[in-house]
Amino acid sequence: MRRFSKLWLLSVSAISLLTSPAFATAELKLSDGNGHTADIVATSCGGNCLTATFNGVLGDWNINVTTGTADPGQSPIIDLNSINHHNASNTPSTLTMEWSADGFTPASPGFELNIGGTIGAHGTLTAALYGGTSDTRFDLSNEIGSTLVFNSPPVNFSGSEDAYYTGGTSPYAITEVATLTFGKSAGQASFDYSVDAIPEPASVVLLGSIGLIAATIARRRVQKRRSEASSI
């Protein structure tokens, strides 16, 4: 029993090394494309968790509550969510929200992208994920997966995609980018864009090996008990 427990603990530790990147720094940027910007450097939210929030006005975007979180030990590993409202204006503007964290390694090249939210009339929202060819935050040289696009109607939207990093750099930075526009019209939207790591095949094989070993040990114990019972 002790040998099995030790084996299990070693296997779980190995899986965590395979699937858990470690972030060094993170940063949140917003821009309305008309000269109004915000830049927030992330702070710790406990352990490896990093977070940054902007709550304020950017030009005709009078309501913006935007938060980014990144934590390799939790699900999702990186997340961008926001609530925004745009006032009617003579000048159209596109709000760009970027949340970037560095320190990723190819140990977790696969990602599950999920987004959901609401968007008002005349609105268009896009969401994309980038894994740069460097460990520099906001390196958008290599897109992971495709850009997801949502228009109104419908008011409620959701989308998901599995994608893989092919930049070939270790470590590298990951950046979530979301854009929102209502042209010159008034409108509001909210969304949550989350990214989870997909365990690489090596960790799946390791999990299968653990199950096989456990089954073998259990079978041998049953056989031993039957043998002992028959000898009495």
Side-chain angles (χ1 to χ4, degrees):
M1 183 65 180
R2 291 180 178 177
R3 290 179 61 189
F4 178 72
S5 297
K6 290 181 179 179
L7 178 61
W8 177 261
L9 289 173
L10 287 172
S11 301
V12 171
S13 298
I15 293 173
S16 65
L17 289 175
L18 286 170
T19 60
S20 295
F23 300 112
T25 59
E27 188 175 356
L28 177 67
K29 290 184 177 182
L30 292 88
S31 171
D32 72 343
N34 292 325
H36 305 97
T37 62
D39 191 340
I40 302 95
V41 176
T43 58
S44 174
C45 47
N48 292 321
C49 177
L50 295 171
T51 187
T53 296
F54 173 74
N55 186 348
V57 177
L58 282 177
D60 294 319
W61 297 88
N62 64 318
I63 298 176
N64 302 280
V65 183
T66 307
T67 299
T69 57
D71 190 335
Q74 301 293 326
S75 294
I77 60 169
I78 189 167
D79 181 273
L80 176 65
N81 63 81
S82 192
I83 300 173
N84 310 93
H85 181 273
H86 180 257
N87 285 329
S89 172
N90 293 325
T91 303
S93 64
T94 297
L95 181 66
T96 301
M97 295 156 278
E98 299 176 296
W99 170 237
S100 187
D102 56 25
F104 278 89
T105 68
S108 298
F111 299 95
E112 182 181 1
L113 287 58
N114 292 287
I115 187 170
T118 62
I119 186 169
H122 311 294
T124 298
L125 184 141
T126 71
L129 182 69
Y130 295 87
T133 55
S134 71
D135 196 30
T136 303
R137 294 191 306 275
F138 306 105
D139 181 349
L140 308 183
S141 57
N142 183 60
E143 185 172 5
I144 300 175
S146 58
T147 299
L148 304 176
V149 181
F150 305 95
N151 304 95
S152 63
V155 174
N156 301 317
F157 66 87
S158 64
S160 63
E161 180 182 11
D162 289 349
Y164 293 84
Y165 172 72
T166 57
T169 301
S170 177
Y172 60 95
I174 286 287
T175 304
E176 291 180 293
V177 179
T179 68
L180 178 62
T181 183
F182 291 94
K184 297 180 180 181
S185 301
Q188 62 185 19
S190 63
F191 69 89
D192 184 12
Y193 183 27
S194 64
V195 178
D196 292 292
I198 299 175
E200 64 174 343
S203 61
V204 175
V205 172
L206 184 56
L207 281 172
S209 300
I210 293 172
L212 181 61
I213 292 171
T216 301
I217 292 174
R219 185 173 64 252
R220 288 179 178 177
R221 285 178 178 171
V222 171
Q223 291 174 347
K224 182 179 179 181
R225 288 173 183 173
R226 288 178 179 174
S227 177
E228 291 174 348
S230 62
S231 63
I232 296 175

